[in-house]
Amino acid sequence: MGMMRLQKYLARAGHGGRRKCEQLILDGRVSVNGDTITEMGVRVDAGRDVVRLDGEVVNLPADDVIIALNKPEGCYTTMRDESGRSCVADLLPMDVHPSLYHIGRLDRDTTGIILFTTDGELGNELLHPSRHVDKEYIAQVRGVPTEGELDQLRRGVRIEMGERVLDCAPAEVDALKKLPNRYRKQDSCLAPGMPGTSFVRVVIHEGMKHQVKLMLGAIGHPVVHLHRTTFGPISCEALKQGEWRYVDPAELHA
């Protein structure tokens, strides 16, 4: 594999995206051939140098993989939970791929597709807004949004939360007259027939925390349930809640 930046090495080993791996180095948790590294710019030879994180040897996987999971409701997006709560790692083949890491997150109460990879840098690339990787959601909301309200999201909405300001890029938004049959199965948290609610399809290419919930809340229609249907061209439609599959290389290329 040749020479590469230390943070890229850590990312490819599944220890998070580039920023997280840079922080691991700055925190003094990483060593190369016994020397603790605390600054950026160090390059390592993946075939010769010994890299350790918190004293444990970090090895690169022979072949990187990407896995798609249909995340169930009530499951935390974390690879380890110190309190013993249900988390996504409990559903994945961690014995086969111990360096799997989630690409982005879904809230505990949100269901749907979430991707995992053994190449943390790839995950960082897929999440970057400049890549314009669309993510589609179906939201069950309070009330029925008007076209005027949805137009606010189509133009891009600014959300002010105290000192924090969230500028959301224009989104693709449509009100659904009814929930598609494929989502009436037990593969999402969506609840057809719930009084006082309706369904909205939202497509974004950003990935800010709670973004879809904040957007719909900003136009006066709080989210009751949220299900992510696709990540780019990849869906979990054929998966039951808690099931996973390997992502085909052609899907990743698309």
Side-chain angles (χ1 to χ4, degrees):
M1 297 182 184
M3 301 293 292
M4 68 178 71
R5 291 169 297 149
L6 180 56
Q7 58 266 42
K8 180 177 181 179
Y9 184 99
L10 294 169
R12 290 206 60 187
H15 290 287
R18 177 178 53 80
R19 290 184 181 177
K20 180 178 179 181
C21 291
E22 288 176 352
Q23 192 60 52
L24 293 175
I25 296 170
L26 294 174
D27 290 342
R29 297 172 59 185
V30 181
S31 68
V32 177
N33 299 328
D35 296 325
T36 299
I37 307 299
T38 58
E39 57 185 24
M40 298 300 105
V42 172
R43 298 174 67 84
V44 295
D45 185 330
R48 302 180 63 180
D49 293 326
V50 178
V51 177
R52 295 178 184 269
L53 172 63
D54 296 333
E56 298 292 329
V57 175
V58 177
N59 293 312
L60 295 183
D63 294 296
D64 289 314
V65 299
I66 295 185
I67 284 175
L69 169 74
N70 185 356
K71 191 187 87 67
E73 189 174 14
C75 186
Y76 288 88
T77 304
T78 180
M79 306 312 293
R80 185 182 296 104
D81 189 89
E82 302 299 336
S83 302
R85 298 173 298 184
S86 174
C87 65
V88 290
D90 300 330
L91 306 172
L92 299 170
M94 302 302 297
D95 54 335
V96 180
H97 306 292
S99 59
L100 277 173
Y101 190 81
H102 47 86
I103 301 177
R105 296 175 181 270
L106 290 180
D107 291 341
R108 176 177 177 271
D109 58 351
T110 298
T111 58
I113 186 167
I114 183 168
L115 301 181
F116 299 81
T117 183
T118 53
D119 183 351
E121 184 151 298
L122 171 63
N124 190 63
E125 288 289 313
L126 290 176
L127 287 174
H128 200 282
S130 66
R131 293 294 184 184
H132 295 281
V133 179
D134 287 341
K135 293 171 279 289
E136 181 191 73
Y137 297 79
I138 292 182
Q140 186 168 10
V141 301
R142 295 289 181 192
V144 181
T146 66
E147 280 300 302
E149 290 170 331
L150 296 179
D151 277 341
Q152 296 179 48
L153 304 184
R154 294 173 182 138
R155 292 191 299 266
V157 64
R158 166 167 284 193
I159 303 170
E160 296 185 5
M161 301 173 291
E163 296 182 356
R164 183 185 175 201
V165 176
L166 185 66
D167 286 309
C168 300
E172 184 180 330
V173 189
D174 299 293
L176 301 178
K177 293 183 178 180
K178 64 177 183 179
L179 184 66
N181 288 334
R182 63 184 179 276
Y183 300 120
R184 291 174 178 268
K185 304 173 185 177
Q186 296 300 312
D187 61 356
S188 74
C189 57
L190 303 172
M194 180 181 290
T197 67
S198 63
F199 296 98
V200 179
R201 172 180 168 271
V202 181
V203 180
I204 61 174
H205 63 261
E206 299 168 295
M208 293 177 279
K209 189 175 181 180
H210 308 312
Q211 183 174 346
V212 174
K213 292 180 179 179
L214 290 169
M215 289 168 59
L216 290 164
I219 62 170
H221 296 279
V223 171
V224 178
H225 296 301
L226 187 63
H227 179 73
R228 184 159 70 182
T229 59
T230 64
F231 191 117
I234 305 169
S235 79
C236 60
E237 188 174 325
L239 300 173
K240 296 180 181 179
Q241 279 199 28
E243 289 185 343
W244 62 270
R245 68 175 177 86
Y246 290 107
V247 172
D248 185 273
E251 292 177 294
L252 177 59
H253 178 74

